Amino acid sequence: MAFQTITVDIEDHVALIKLNRPDALNALNTELLGELCTALEAADENDKVRCVVLAGSDKAFAAGADIKEMSEKSFVEVFEENLFASTNDRITAIRKPIIAAVSGYALGGGCELAMMCDFIIAADNAKFGQPEINLGVIAGMGGSQRLTRFVGKSKSMDMNLTGRFMDAEEAERAGLVSRVVPAKKLMEEAMAAAQKVAEKSQLSVLAVKESVNRSYELTLNEGMLFERRVFHSMFATEDQKEGMAAFLEKREAQFRDR
C-alpha cells in the first residue's frame, strides 16, 4: 500500500512504521493520522506481523498536531467531526504490541501518540511535553488523562499548566518511558525489543496487553480477578505445555500460537 506521510517496512515479524513529514517535524495532520491508523490496522491483521515499532525522525517523533490545519476551525466543526476521537479509538483497538521509539520532540499530539503505544523507548535527546496551554487550548488526545496516569497529578499539572518540556532522563524517572538509550542506538534497541516480543507465544502477548490495559479501567480486586481468569485460560493452550516443558528440559521453547 502506497502512503504519502508514513513509511512501512515489515521484516522478521516486526512492522516498522515511520512518520514521514520531515518539513513539518512530523506534525499530525488528518492525512498522516488516517494513514497511520490504516497501517496499524493492516499490521494487526497481518499474520506475518507480531509486533509494531512506531518511530519518527532523529529530530522529532512528532512535534504536535498540525496547528495550521486546526487554527480556523470552529467549535461546531470540531464537535461535529469529534476531532481526534476516531484516531484514539482505532489506535487503542490494535491488539498487537506497539513500541514507540522516540527521538527528539514528542510534543502535544506527538506525546499523546507515544502514550497510545504500549511502551516507549526514548533516545537520550527526547523531549516530551503538552504545550497546548500556549495555544489557548488543552490537550485533546490524552495529555490530561494518560499523562496523569503515567506520571501522577503533580507532574501532569506542571506540564499541562506551564507547557514545560520533560527530558528523557526525567521521563524515565517519572515512569513515562520504559528506558533511555543513546540516540544512535535507538532504532537498534527498539527493534531488538520488538524481536524479543515477536519470539513469544502470540497468545500470551495478546493476553498480557489486554490484562495490563485493563488495570487502568478496573478496581484492583476486579483487575486481579480478570488477570487470574486469563492466567487460568492459558492452561488450555499448547503453548503453555510447550513453554513449561521447555523450561524443565532446559531448552528454548518452540511456540506455535496454539
Side-chain angles (χ1 to χ4, degrees):
M1 188 178 298
F3 295 111
Q4 301 300 313
T5 61
I6 64 172
T7 63
V8 181
D9 294 291
I10 298 174
E11 185 176 352
D12 296 331
H13 302 294
V14 175
L16 172 59
I17 301 176
K18 286 190 173 184
L19 310 183
N20 188 34
R21 293 189 70 209
D23 295 340
L25 294 179
N26 294 329
L28 307 176
N29 65 1
T30 301
E31 182 180 22
L32 186 152
L33 290 173
E35 290 189 343
L36 174 60
C37 289
T38 297
L40 287 171
E41 289 164 349
D44 210 28
E45 295 297 323
N46 188 338
D47 291 339
K48 295 181 180 179
V49 174
R50 301 171 70 88
C51 190
V52 176
V53 173
L54 178 61
S57 65
D58 293 341
K59 189 174 183 180
F61 176 74
D66 193 318
I67 306 304
K68 183 182 295 185
E69 186 178 69
M70 292 189 296
S71 62
E72 296 302 319
K73 288 182 180 288
S74 68
F75 163 75
V76 171
E77 288 176 304
V78 298
F79 183 70
E80 284 187 338
E81 69 182 81
N82 206 6
L83 185 62
F84 298 137
S86 176
T87 297
N88 177 82
D89 294 346
R90 292 173 70 183
I91 294 176
T92 56
I94 301 300
R95 298 186 70 198
K96 292 175 182 175
I98 308 170
I99 301 171
V102 175
S103 181
Y105 296 111
L107 307 177
C111 185
E112 292 165 313
L113 176 59
M115 290 190 290
M116 290 183 205
C117 299
D118 295 300
F119 64 92
I120 302 170
I121 299 178
D124 54 13
N125 69 342
K127 301 284 186 184
F128 299 88
Q130 298 294 158
E132 289 89 347
I133 194 79
N134 297 327
L135 303 175
V137 293
I138 72 167
M141 288 195 287
S144 70
Q145 302 300 304
R146 289 191 179 92
L147 185 64
T148 304
R149 285 165 168 79
F150 289 171
V151 305
K153 176 184 175 181
S154 186
K155 281 189 179 291
S156 179
M157 282 288 194
D158 183 4
M159 293 176 70
N160 277 282
L161 286 173
T162 69
R164 79 170 180 88
F165 298 167
M166 179 184 286
D167 64 21
E169 182 180 348
E170 182 183 1
E172 184 180 29
R173 289 200 313 269
L176 178 57
V177 308
S178 65
R179 60 182 103 161
V180 177
V181 301
K184 291 182 179 180
K185 293 188 175 182
L186 174 63
M187 295 312 302
E188 178 184 341
E189 293 280 345
M191 295 300 288
Q195 288 292 345
K196 185 65 68 175
V197 172
E199 293 171 2
K200 312 302 182 186
S201 163
Q202 189 76 347
L203 299 174
S204 297
V205 166
L206 296 177
V208 165
K209 176 166 178 172
E210 187 172 351
S211 296
V212 173
N213 283 335
R214 281 292 183 99
S215 72
Y216 280 97
E217 308 296 337
L218 302 174
T219 64
L220 179 58
N221 282 339
E222 288 298 317
M224 288 297 299
L225 177 60
F226 180 84
E227 176 189 86
R228 195 176 307 118
R229 291 293 179 255
V230 175
F231 167 69
H232 292 163
S233 72
M234 304 308 291
F235 283 76
T237 69
E238 293 179 16
D239 283 351
Q240 174 267 327
K241 300 297 185 290
E242 166 62 13
M244 292 191 177
F247 176 83
L248 294 172
E249 295 165 12
K250 296 181 172 56
R251 61 176 175 82
E252 291 291 324
Q254 302 298 313
F255 294 120
R256 301 177 65 189
D257 302 330
R258 296 179 182 176

